[in-house]
Amino acid sequence: MIVRVLIVDDQVLMRQGLRKLLELEEGIEVVGEAADGLAALDLLPSARPDVALVDARMPRMDGIELVARLDIPAIILTTFDDDDYIFGGLRAGARGYLLKDTPPDELVAAIRKAARGETVLGGVAAERVVAELRSAPATPDLADQLSEREHEVAVLVGDGATNREIARRLFITEGTVKNHISSILRKLRLRDRTQLAIHIARSS
């Protein structure tokens, strides 16, 4: 599978550097570059990217607003580790938040994960999310919204367990775990495992 990537950054050198880096990777194709959000939106119909790498702060339209308007997975790649950018980006729908000092192999892995619909958080962003989880107010009545088995699965997701680990603990198949998680996300109206983990933490 070829992952088509759109690079959105107001710094020419950064765009060119990312292009050269990604073009060395098998299975990744850079299909366009844009200097801001408006230019990126103009490129979408012709470029048809699978994933967008988006800087947080740009002229005309910043990365947060752009992410909210995209219908493809986006990773915010920036130098800023402010809470406003991290949580603003995630609330807007970003699949990942990485700083520009992220090692190349981790960036490439993040792009592939985002293309599969997974969420990727760099060290700083992950720390901020965990801190938010610990300080967030509780959300009651989680057990009332889920079946007993779904509740068991949700709690294990909140503990950071993988599908394989959950399957082993509950003596069910990984396919059954995936089905339970899909049902849980649908019932709770959540987008992915990260949002589910946050929801579980608030309910505990």
Side-chain angles (χ1 to χ4, degrees):
M1 172 185 171
I2 303 294
V3 180
R4 297 164 59 86
V5 179
L6 173 65
I7 300 170
V8 189
D9 196 296
D10 60 337
Q11 296 181 347
V12 176
L13 288 177
M14 177 57 66
R15 294 200 306 271
Q16 292 178 348
L18 286 170
R19 174 183 281 275
K20 290 181 178 179
L21 169 68
L22 296 177
E23 286 179 341
L24 295 174
E25 296 293 328
E26 185 177 351
I28 291 183
E29 178 185 359
V30 177
V31 294
E33 301 175 21
D36 58 54
L38 289 177
L41 292 176
D42 289 339
L43 275 177
L44 285 178
S46 59
R48 295 180 291 109
D50 300 308
V51 175
L53 282 181
V54 180
D55 192 9
R57 185 181 295 177
M58 296 180 293
R60 298 207 301 168
M61 179 188 292
D62 67 16
I64 308 304
E65 182 177 352
L66 172 61
V67 167
R69 297 177 63 172
L70 290 175
D71 58 1
I72 60 170
I75 297 173
I76 295 178
L77 182 65
T78 184
T79 57
F80 304 105
D81 60 359
D82 302 18
D83 283 0
D84 287 347
Y85 283 121
I86 293 173
F87 290 104
L90 295 176
R91 291 189 187 104
R95 283 291 180 184
Y97 196 102
L98 301 173
L99 296 183
K100 287 182 177 177
D101 60 0
T102 297
D105 58 334
E106 291 184 17
L107 174 60
V108 171
I111 290 171
R112 298 187 193 282
K113 288 179 179 179
R116 296 195 297 264
E118 300 177 30
T119 298
V120 186
L121 297 178
V124 172
E127 290 172 5
R128 301 291 174 81
V129 170
V130 170
E132 175 70 11
L133 293 179
R134 290 172 176 167
S135 62
T139 302
D141 302 324
L142 176 64
D144 293 341
Q145 302 174 66
L146 306 174
S147 70
E148 182 177 351
R149 177 63 86 187
E150 287 171 346
H151 186 263
E152 291 175 333
V153 171
V155 170
L156 289 172
V157 170
D159 289 340
T162 65
N163 287 355
R164 178 173 297 181
E165 290 169 339
I166 294 171
R168 287 176 178 172
R169 293 189 198 183
L170 299 181
F171 302 101
I172 56 179
T173 66
E174 289 186 55
T176 300
V177 173
K178 291 179 181 178
N179 290 338
H180 281 314
I181 292 176
S182 295
S183 176
I184 293 165
L185 295 178
R186 184 176 64 254
K187 288 182 177 180
L188 300 181
R189 298 182 180 180
L190 302 174
R191 187 176 62 248
D192 54 33
R193 294 175 76 106
T194 301
Q195 287 195 342
L196 176 56
I198 293 172
H199 193 87
I200 296 301
R202 289 176 173 172
S203 302
S204 59

